[in-house]
Amino acid sequence: MKILVIALAGIGDTLIATPFIHELRVNFPRASLHALVLWPGAKDLLEGNPHLDAIHQRNLIKEGPVRSLRYLLGLRRERYDISINVHTLGRIHYRVVARLIGAKVRISHEYENHGWVDRFLVNRTVPQDYSIHSVENNNRLLGLLGVKPVLSEHPFELFLTPAEREYGEQYVRSHQLQRRKVLGVHVGSGGTKNLALKRWPLDHYVALLQRLAAERPEAAVLLFGGPEEEQAHAELRRRVSHPRMLIPATRNLREVAALMSHCTAFLSVDTALMHLAAAMKVPNQIVIEAPTLNATNMPWQNACRVIRNPAVNGRNLDYYRYDGRPIKGTEAELLACMRSIGVDEVYQAVASVL
């Protein structure tokens, strides 16, 4: 039997799918189990996973329709018996991908935009549930294969090499962080659709880090991110005079994870790095509530403190659902929404653990 796990949404969604991949391996030990991901970072997180036989990665957005079609028809020649679209692949395009790859059994959740066309694209479905985590939504798909969860626990799984762990330890030693409180910070967010609008304002981060420098100068700050955060990091470096604010030159998310394991606390909105911090069991995780945060994408099996957004006021699903649409609201409205979370409340949460 050949099974393809389709995880083409965000990098965090791929990490969230790792407990499900383990369940598939346990339930189908002799199957050839593959994964298809969109982002190079998602592939990074699956590297070394002993439950997978192959990882396919292609940015279908960047490739365009002609090259993407050619690539997917190439995967069709793999002759998969089963394809599974994991949570949160709400856009119909993901179900089109499943149809083009052409497994006989094509599994998906049903989203708000599910219609008669979807019954042609996928042929076994279960309604998604916004009241439970995506890990649990994924495990509900097992019933469509006639099996059920076997594992007693379902943690995120990331298999770092000894060399990657040594990178984190060496960084800590070289910057003399062994005996210091270390705050990890991710100022970014996803960049597709209008997800960049869920970021906490950079001016707020400036004020927060300036106050930390004045009142908690002994603590270190690690600014995590990739090329998308370079401009923001440069601005923070220019405007914040902090004796121990560092920007690690990590090469991939695996090195980020290795460094995160040495953090005392981690601050972000709901992003892939939030999920990575949960995977590494970073204590004192602090999440600034964006409109996209809901029960499906909270840090999994890791205690966290959510700084509630007064503008959202519990109406998260009014702003954002997994139907392929952007966050509802104008740019000005969403920027004002994230500005409504003040610096003082975030500072008090961070200072209490540093």
Side-chain angles (χ1 to χ4, degrees):
M1 185 191 301
K2 295 187 72 171
I3 302 174
L4 178 66
V5 175
I6 300 175
L8 290 171
I11 295 171
D13 296 289
T14 300
L15 185 57
I16 288 170
T18 56
F20 179 68
I21 289 170
H22 195 167
E23 277 288 355
L24 287 173
R25 174 54 68 208
V26 172
N27 276 282
F28 303 99
R30 297 184 180 180
S32 181
L33 185 55
H34 296 192
L36 171 62
V37 298
L38 189 78
W39 307 103
K43 186 174 185 291
D44 286 344
L45 297 185
L46 294 182
E47 291 289 354
N49 190 313
H51 312 304
L52 287 170
D53 298 296
I55 306 166
H56 307 285
Q57 183 269 318
R58 187 62 58 98
N59 189 330
L60 301 178
I61 299 172
K62 184 178 179 180
E63 291 286 326
V66 175
R67 289 183 178 179
S68 295
L69 178 61
R70 186 180 302 124
Y71 179 76
L72 295 173
L73 292 179
L75 285 181
R76 188 184 185 94
R77 290 193 287 272
E78 292 277 352
R79 297 187 180 277
Y80 291 105
D81 300 291
I82 300 167
S83 68
I84 305 170
N85 285 23
V86 295
H87 208 245
T88 56
L89 300 185
R91 297 178 65 193
I92 192 172
H93 303 72
Y94 299 127
R95 298 185 284 284
V96 171
V97 166
R99 181 67 188 188
L100 289 171
I101 293 172
K104 182 178 180 181
V105 175
R106 301 180 301 280
I107 290 174
S108 171
H109 294 91
E110 292 181 18
Y111 300 87
E112 290 89 338
N113 56 355
H114 202 90
W116 67 268
V117 174
D118 295 277
R119 291 191 286 275
F120 167 74
L121 301 176
V122 293
N123 50 28
R124 294 189 190 180
T125 61
V126 63
Q128 68 152 344
D129 186 345
Y130 281 110
S131 70
I132 61 176
H133 200 274
S134 288
V135 169
E136 297 164 302
N137 270 293
N138 284 334
N139 283 344
R140 292 174 68 230
L141 297 175
L142 293 168
L144 300 176
L145 293 171
V147 297
K148 60 183 180 180
V150 174
L151 301 170
S152 60
E153 297 181 346
H154 296 94
F156 291 163
E157 295 188 334
L158 178 62
F159 299 89
L160 298 182
T161 66
E164 288 160 347
R165 293 191 180 277
E166 173 57 26
Y167 162 82
E169 293 168 3
Q170 174 60 32
Y171 189 94
V172 167
R173 288 193 300 268
S174 63
H175 291 85
Q176 300 179 344
L177 302 178
Q178 300 96 316
R179 295 178 178 83
R180 296 191 186 280
K181 302 283 189 179
V182 179
L183 172 67
V185 178
H186 182 217
V187 302
S189 68
T192 58
K193 295 183 283 191
N194 63 348
L195 295 182
L197 297 176
K198 72 176 182 178
R199 299 174 184 178
W200 201 42
L202 194 64
D203 284 347
H204 285 25
Y205 278 111
V206 169
L208 172 72
L209 294 175
Q210 286 174 335
R211 189 168 173 185
L212 282 174
E215 300 182 25
R216 295 287 193 280
E218 72 286 354
V221 176
L222 298 184
L223 299 179
F224 291 109
E228 298 83 2
E229 284 76 45
E230 285 181 357
Q231 184 175 349
H233 287 173
E235 182 72 3
L236 289 173
R237 179 171 276 166
R238 184 181 69 84
R239 297 175 61 185
V240 177
S241 177
H242 191 300
R244 295 182 181 87
M245 187 174 73
L246 304 169
I247 306 174
T250 51
R251 293 173 295 181
N252 52 48
L253 286 175
R254 301 174 70 83
E255 290 187 348
V256 170
L259 272 180
M260 279 184 174
S261 67
H262 298 277
C263 287
T264 310
F266 186 79
L267 174 68
S268 69
V269 297
D270 52 298
T271 68
L273 292 196
M274 178 196 78
H275 295 301
L276 192 58
M280 301 310 295
K281 300 299 182 186
V282 177
N284 307 305
Q285 195 163 358
I286 301 167
V287 180
I288 298 170
E289 184 182 28
T292 51
L293 187 70
N294 60 66
T296 69
N297 63 0
M298 292 287 290
W300 176 247
Q301 296 183 343
N302 202 42
C304 73
R305 176 173 175 178
V306 177
I307 308 299
R308 292 297 176 185
N309 189 321
V312 174
N313 193 29
R315 297 178 295 110
N316 306 68
L317 296 179
D318 293 339
Y319 280 95
Y320 190 73
R321 291 174 178 262
Y322 303 125
D323 55 7
R325 298 177 182 176
I327 309 171
K328 293 180 182 178
T330 66
E331 179 175 342
E333 289 168 343
L334 294 177
L335 291 174
C337 174
M338 293 310 297
R339 280 198 303 271
S340 70
I341 303 171
V343 174
D344 187 65
E345 186 175 3
V346 177
Y347 174 80
Q348 294 301 330
V350 171
S352 69
V353 297
L354 294 183

